Amino acid sequence: MTEILRTHQITKEFSGVKALRGVDFTLNSREGLALIGENGAGKSTLVKIISGVYSAGNFGGKISIEGTEVEFSGTKDASEKGISIIHQELNLFPELTVGENIFLNHLPLKSFGRVDYLKINNDAQLLLDQLGVEFLATDKVTDLNTGNQQMVEIAKAISTNAKILILDEPTSSLTTKEIQNLFKVIKKLQENGLSFVYISHKLDEVFELCQAVTILRDGESVYSNQLSNIDQNTIITHMVGRELSDLYPPRMINSTPLEDRTPVFEVENWSAYKLSEHRERVSKVNFKAFRGEILGISGLMGAGRTDLLLSLFGSSNYQASGQIKIDGSPVKISKPEEAINNGLGLVTEDRKGNGLHLDFSISDNICMASLDSYTKNGLLDNNKKLLVVSELVKKLLIKIPSTDHAVKTLSGGNQQKVAIAKWLATKPKILFLDEPTRGIDIGAKFEIYSLLNQLVKENVCVIIVSSELPELLGMCDRVIVMREGQFASHLQGSQITETNIMSAAVGVQ
Amino acid sequence: MNSNILSQKKSSSSAPDQERGGFDFKKYSTIMALIILFIFLAIMTEGGFLDARNFTNLTRQISVNAILAVGMTMVILTAGIDLSVGSVVALSGVVAGLLQVNMGLAGMGVSGTILSILACVATGFLCGTINGGLIAVFKIPPFVITLGMMVIARGLALIISDSSAISPMSPSFKWLAKGFMSTELTILLLAGVLAFWVKSLIARFKEGKRSTSALFFAFLLEAICISFPAYAFISDRGLPLPTLSLIVIAGLGIFVLRKLPFGRYIFAIGGNEEAAALSGVPVTKIKWATYALIGTLAGVCGVILTARLNSATPTEGNLMELDAIAAVVIGGTSLMGGLGTITGSIIGAFLIGTLNNGMDLLDINSNYQMVIKGLIIIFAVWSDARTKQKAKA
């Protein structure tokens, strides 16, 4: 095998903090290399260096392509050398067509500087056909589902004749079926000569797709091997530097039958109409949840899981109808303030969009939902605030230099912990978590799972929405499966299996 | 409020200098610009600019824009804007004028004056409440609503005044702008300000976030900003009443933003409105209240301006909203919301006001004044944006 991309002792500092301490990896031609590492192990920084976001001279070490040393002065340089990157978050313009999105950076022109739409659409369609997708170059991106939008990103990446594709957690918002499609496309591209670096937290995906692995820990490459020689446990051991006997911490399951327990949270005939989409996303849903349990809500993307949580929480984006009972008595929740006053908490799916104030400090974020409780005679008492913040930072093992730092400087896992801390500060009776471990590494996941178990012990009712089936299997007492805004199935105990969940989610009996 | 658990352990006042931050150039850049402008004008006028009486009058003139800037800071912190304040100042001034002159309140002495003040402030409050209601409840962009109110209020001012200036005001009404707080009370107030300052000095030294030399330089700048006005007010006739209103309003504003949940919510809304709403921040109420507040402050400015000019003119306050916005932006508040300070906005207002006053003193043609002012606003925002970009890189 011939090597196509190699890094030698890459180092990078951010104002005195070493993000990378020496990373070596080799990507061979036509190979899929998995780049794996915990929160803050330096994966994103490394990707930014390889793709030219940090230009030559701003970091230490060498990069070579096909044996020749290269220096990038910007992302354009990297892309000319055949390196294309697909970022974790989609970077598309929803109101433009697929073709326009693909060629936006190098629009073909006709006379008088007019855009050559014929060429755009033809070329784009060729690329799309190559990927074997069903939508057209003339479709608007906003009309596509997330999986297909991801395909547009791939088309965009290979439109520059990329030899090396870097995929930074491309599946974090895709459904299982979309992931399978994506893998099919990547494998096909690989057969046609593409090499790729695949960054993911999902080990089963890595084993399915990649041939080699390099593991980063604390900014260093600590292990490289062919995947055929090793198993998942080897990877986990090297990632965390310790044995992780089990991905999910064990806990006591409440053995009292449901019929004999009083529900803390009851929802009857709940329907929610999403105002911005002019359609009903949740229709006539009924369920009960109990103290000291974890209730999982599963379903495909767009099944209405997030809509259910947001509407129950009183989000103004929904018009909802139905009945909510807390501790047996009916309550009216028409805005989030009322939800909070009734003991509800909601860790949202989208940390950046509606979960956190990224530019604000960690302590401001943690106090955001409970600010009124830090007052003395109506005035804010900073000591009180600080006490709660430091206690939560300790409890959640949030790794930060100081609580004054802006949340955006933290890694995904620590951001998520801050988002959870914000709600723990309100001392909720019922805590909703929407995709609680999305885009964070195994170590942080384990810590969050342990925390959820701790909450259950403290008799909190935890309701989680998750797209990761193992997570539901490993964590939940019960799982409700949603399909097209309705409840498709209710699973309990040994009924909770991947097959049962999936078949209910897709509507197979 | 800036202390924290982890760095508290390692950062005591005994930490070596190189471990602590240097001088916060960004924070003090506007103050330094202001001081440089003062020195420049002092040289150009051979010291005349630094005359105590000139400075006292200057603060009186600036107070209107600075008071509006306090309200505008809060509005802009929520990522909003209020374009109507100039017109609302005119409308509320005309209401006061009508009451004073046409309704004969001028003949009723102090009680007439109090009634006029109340009506004037109430007019501003009403306009602000209408703005806020439409913006917060019906979710219409503030730019559009306040643009509408800007035109409506101006039109109403012209209608009810029959397009002409109304004068004269009663002596007690005029006193609101021309009067002074006695020198003794001024000294007392300044002593209070001094006490607050010393308290903050001690706090910053204890915190040990910045090196001793950086702190010293900052204190020097702050000392100039406190001692020169103190000297001017005491050696002249005391504190002008409009300046007193400014100090009280600014003090209250800073207190609200720092110490009340209401103030923190203003920041939260500007930082990320959706996240704030889902964290239980009463977004509608808070937004509504900020517009009502700036409207009320516009009413206060209507009183001060009408009293100062001894006349209520329906065309007064033209483009005043832009001066207030410029002051806020020069003061470092982000137009995207969520970031900024009232102190910065007041310094911004002083920068603009000093520039106006200085160019008048230097006899610069008023048409050129506009061009210079515009250039300086652009320069200020550009250099601010540049430092921010540098900080990011």
Side-chain angles (χ1 to χ4, degrees):
Chain A
M1 276 200 280
T2 51
E3 101 181 27
I4 181 157
L5 176 70
R6 175 198 278 279
T7 68
H8 179 69
Q9 284 299 310
I10 301 275
T11 57
K12 170 82 184 160
E13 275 191 25
F14 291 104
S15 47
V17 181
K18 280 201 169 120
L20 296 181
R21 302 162 182 274
V23 176
D24 295 309
F25 75 80
T26 310
L27 172 69
N28 289 315
S29 180
R30 294 190 170 217
E31 183 184 62
L33 173 74
L35 210 54
I36 299 181
E38 269 201 298
N39 256 354
K43 300 178 305 263
S44 313
T45 315
L46 183 64
V47 165
K48 281 180 183 163
I49 287 174
I50 301 170
S51 58
V53 173
Y54 298 131
S55 51
N58 290 323
F59 59 89
K62 290 177 196 139
I63 302 174
S64 54
I65 290 181
E66 289 169 336
T68 8
E69 200 177 310
V70 288
E71 283 194 351
F72 302 139
S73 62
T75 47
K76 213 172 165 193
D77 263 6
S79 106
E80 275 165 13
K81 291 267 163 34
I83 297 180
S84 254
I85 178 163
I86 292 173
H87 291 280
Q88 195 170 357
E89 268 114 34
L90 296 171
N91 286 309
L92 297 172
F93 298 90
E95 289 303 321
L96 297 184
T97 67
V98 171
E100 285 168 317
N101 267 288
I102 294 176
F103 291 105
L104 202 66
N105 293 326
H106 41 109
L107 284 175
L109 297 181
K110 293 194 290 191
S111 55
F112 301 111
R114 291 171 303 155
V115 175
D116 190 348
Y117 277 101
L118 197 67
K119 188 167 163 49
I120 287 186
N121 291 335
N122 285 338
D123 290 1
Q125 198 59 53
L126 276 177
L127 283 170
L128 296 179
D129 292 345
Q130 199 186 331
L131 298 183
V133 293
E134 284 161 9
F135 54 90
L136 297 174
T138 47
D139 288 346
K140 260 192 186 179
V141 165
T142 176
D143 297 333
L144 306 179
N145 62 28
T146 326
N148 283 337
Q149 292 185 359
Q150 188 68 269
M151 293 297 175
V152 177
E153 284 281 12
I154 292 186
K156 195 169 133 190
I158 60 172
S159 72
T160 55
N161 294 320
K163 285 181 291 187
I164 301 162
L165 191 60
I166 297 167
L167 299 115
D168 190 359
E169 296 199 37
T171 61
S172 55
S173 52
L174 302 189
T175 61
T176 318
K177 190 162 167 273
E178 289 168 339
I179 292 172
Q180 288 312 320
N181 264 333
L182 176 75
F183 284 6
K184 236 192 302 183
V185 167
I186 296 175
K187 284 174 184 165
K188 202 165 151 194
L189 291 172
Q190 195 181 4
E191 277 167 29
N192 295 341
L194 186 84
S195 322
F196 64 92
V197 177
Y198 188 82
I199 296 163
S200 177
H201 291 297
K202 301 179 186 168
L203 297 187
D204 41 349
E205 289 183 1
V206 163
F207 275 93
E208 185 179 343
L209 194 63
C210 302
Q211 290 79 49
V213 63
T214 290
I215 299 171
L216 300 185
R217 192 171 71 225
D218 301 328
E220 266 175 299
S221 43
V222 291
Y223 184 80
S224 294
N225 204 336
Q226 291 296 310
L227 280 168
S228 50
N229 300 338
I230 55 174
D231 63 0
Q232 294 208 3
N233 281 329
T234 321
I235 291 185
I236 292 171
T237 311
H238 282 98
M239 275 173 73
V240 296
R242 67 188 126 93
E243 287 286 344
L244 212 62
S245 57
D246 193 346
L247 288 178
Y248 303 96
R251 81 178 157 90
M252 295 286 294
I253 301 276
N254 193 332
S255 54
T256 324
L258 291 183
E259 298 76 45
D260 300 345
R261 289 151 69 185
T262 12
V264 61
F265 190 60
E266 291 166 87
V267 175
E268 285 160 21
N269 260 326
W270 192 259
S271 299
Y273 180 87
K274 189 165 188 185
L275 298 171
S276 61
E277 291 178 8
H278 306 289
R279 67 188 179 113
E280 196 175 62
R281 295 305 306 264
V282 177
S283 51
K284 299 223 160 45
V285 161
N286 294 284
F287 73 95
K288 288 177 185 167
F290 301 85
R291 281 182 181 278
E293 74 158 353
I294 298 183
L295 172 65
I297 300 179
S298 179
L300 302 176
M301 283 272 157
R305 301 166 303 174
T306 300
D307 306 281
L308 175 65
L309 294 192
L310 282 171
S311 60
L312 286 171
F313 202 66
S315 159
S316 61
N317 296 337
Y318 297 87
Q319 201 158 7
S321 65
Q323 173 85 63
I324 300 175
K325 283 186 193 163
I326 290 176
D327 284 327
S329 45
V331 293
K332 196 181 139 286
I333 294 176
S334 58
K335 43 188 167 188
E337 295 105 283
E338 292 167 355
I340 295 166
N341 291 338
N342 280 304
L344 265 62
L346 168 65
V347 178
T348 60
E349 176 185 17
D350 184 2
R351 287 193 291 273
K352 209 179 189 176
N354 58 16
L356 292 170
H357 285 72
L358 290 182
D359 291 322
F360 286 23
S361 72
I362 291 153
S363 69
D364 277 351
N365 270 286
I366 292 180
C367 297
M368 190 61 75
S370 50
L371 207 55
D372 288 327
S373 59
Y374 312 117
T375 51
K376 209 159 69 185
N377 307 323
L379 303 187
L380 284 173
D381 181 345
N382 277 312
N383 292 332
K384 241 183 193 174
K385 206 171 127 179
L386 214 62
L387 214 66
V388 174
V389 170
S390 59
E391 196 181 298
L392 285 168
V393 166
K394 235 180 279 165
K395 181 171 179 181
L396 272 70
L397 309 167
I398 306 177
K399 292 166 205 119
I400 45 169
S402 124
T403 51
D404 287 341
H405 275 56
V407 165
K408 66 177 170 197
T409 61
L410 303 181
S411 61
N414 282 318
Q415 284 186 6
Q416 184 67 1
K417 287 183 189 170
V418 171
I420 295 176
K422 170 165 97 176
W423 290 105
L424 296 191
T426 68
K427 304 204 170 61
K429 274 193 277 196
I430 302 144
L431 183 62
F432 298 158
L433 298 107
D434 199 350
E435 304 286 0
T437 62
R438 182 167 158 187
I440 67 179
D441 67 77
I442 295 176
K445 269 186 184 177
F446 190 85
E447 286 165 3
I448 286 176
Y449 293 145
S450 310
L451 179 80
L452 294 184
N453 285 344
Q454 176 68 29
L455 290 177
V456 167
K457 231 190 226 165
E458 291 164 14
N459 236 358
V460 175
C461 165
V462 176
I463 300 180
I464 60 177
V465 160
S466 177
S467 295
E468 290 183 40
L469 296 184
E471 182 168 290
L472 293 171
L473 265 53
M475 292 302 295
C476 296
D477 301 60
R478 296 185 295 136
V479 171
I480 287 167
V481 186
M482 281 184 83
R483 176 161 41 89
E484 288 161 9
Q486 291 173 318
F487 275 0
S489 179
H490 172 240
L491 307 168
Q492 211 175 330
S494 59
Q495 296 170 322
I496 309 178
T497 62
E498 298 206 20
T499 333
N500 282 347
I501 294 177
M502 263 343 277
S503 48
V506 297
V508 181
Q509 288 311 311
Chain B
M1 86 177 264
N2 289 321
S3 55
N4 54 72
I5 338 130
L6 294 170
S7 68
Q8 248 175 13
K9 275 185 233 145
K10 60 172 191 217
S11 77
S12 62
S13 44
S14 64
D17 256 18
Q18 59 268 27
E19 271 186 25
R20 294 185 262 159
F23 179 65
D24 190 350
F25 187 80
K26 212 185 131 248
K27 190 173 162 192
Y28 289 93
S29 57
T30 340
I31 279 197
M32 291 196 293
L34 187 60
I35 292 175
I36 292 168
L37 184 65
F38 260 71
I39 295 172
F40 173 74
L41 289 172
I43 295 169
M44 294 301 283
T45 57
E46 288 161 1
F49 184 75
L50 294 182
D51 177 60
R53 177 159 295 213
N54 183 53
F55 181 78
T56 308
N57 289 337
L58 178 65
T59 63
R60 196 207 313 262
Q61 274 171 32
I62 289 170
S63 54
V64 167
N65 186 32
I67 289 172
L68 288 179
V70 171
M72 194 64 84
T73 311
M74 297 200 184
V75 168
I76 291 181
L77 279 175
T78 68
I81 195 93
D82 191 342
L83 299 175
S84 68
V85 285
S87 301
V88 174
V89 167
L91 177 63
S92 49
V94 167
V95 167
L98 280 179
L99 288 175
Q100 282 274 303
V101 180
N102 298 25
M103 305 282 177
L105 287 188
M108 284 171 60
V110 176
S111 55
T113 298
I114 293 174
L115 268 179
S116 309
I117 295 174
L118 288 178
C120 188
V121 174
T123 308
F125 171 75
L126 194 68
C127 293
T129 307
I130 294 169
N131 278 340
L134 291 171
I135 291 163
V137 179
F138 297 106
K139 301 191 164 67
I140 310 176
F143 191 93
V144 179
I145 294 296
T146 58
L147 188 70
M149 179 58 81
M150 169 173 134
V151 184
I152 293 169
R154 182 70 67 191
L156 286 176
L158 286 162
I159 292 169
I160 59 173
S161 67
D162 213 4
S163 307
S164 56
I166 305 164
S167 65
M169 307 297 139
S170 71
S172 61
F173 193 86
K174 281 190 285 185
W175 176 80
L176 292 169
K178 306 210 160 135
F180 288 89
M181 191 162 90
S182 71
T183 320
E184 292 78 23
L185 281 175
T186 303
I187 292 174
L188 208 65
L189 182 82
L190 289 171
V193 171
L194 200 68
F196 258 110
W197 183 56
V198 171
K199 205 179 134 197
S200 111
L201 288 191
I202 295 170
R204 275 181 283 172
F205 256 117
K206 271 194 186 153
E207 207 181 48
K209 253 193 175 170
R210 306 213 170 257
S211 66
T212 318
S213 51
L215 281 177
F216 182 75
F217 192 52
F219 296 156
L220 197 72
L221 289 175
E222 289 169 24
I224 295 172
C225 292
I226 292 175
S227 57
F228 178 68
Y231 147 77
F233 294 138
I234 294 169
S235 65
D236 191 30
R237 292 152 292 178
L239 199 61
L241 292 184
T243 315
L244 175 67
S245 333
L246 168 62
I247 293 176
V248 171
I249 287 168
L252 282 175
I254 293 169
F255 172 79
V256 165
L257 282 191
R258 281 203 192 151
K259 284 287 170 188
L260 297 189
F262 175 74
R264 305 314 300 168
Y265 288 152
I266 285 180
F267 281 96
I269 292 170
N272 184 343
E273 186 170 331
E274 214 183 327
L278 286 177
S279 301
V281 172
V283 175
T284 310
K285 274 187 221 159
I286 304 268
K287 276 188 164 179
W288 197 339
T290 53
Y291 287 94
L293 200 75
I294 191 174
T296 310
L297 292 180
V300 171
C301 291
V303 174
I304 296 175
L305 203 64
T306 309
R308 201 174 87 203
L309 302 171
N310 188 21
S311 142
T313 319
T315 52
E316 197 50 57
N318 202 16
L319 296 186
M320 214 171 240
E321 57 280 341
L322 295 187
D323 268 350
I325 294 168
V328 172
V329 171
I330 289 176
T333 297
S334 160
L335 280 174
M336 313 292 285
L339 180 82
T341 60
I342 284 179
T343 329
S345 304
I346 289 170
I347 297 168
F350 267 82
L351 200 69
I352 294 174
T354 309
L355 204 65
N356 285 338
N357 180 275
M359 290 193 291
D360 277 341
L361 282 179
L362 296 177
D363 227 3
I364 296 176
N365 178 310
S366 66
N367 298 342
Y368 285 95
Q369 287 195 12
M370 297 207 299
V371 176
I372 295 172
K373 218 167 83 179
L375 287 174
I376 286 178
I377 291 170
I378 293 173
F379 175 78
V381 178
W382 171 73
S383 65
D384 184 53
R386 222 179 47 144
T387 34
K388 268 183 204 151
Q389 272 171 359
K390 268 191 188 161
K392 253 185 199 168

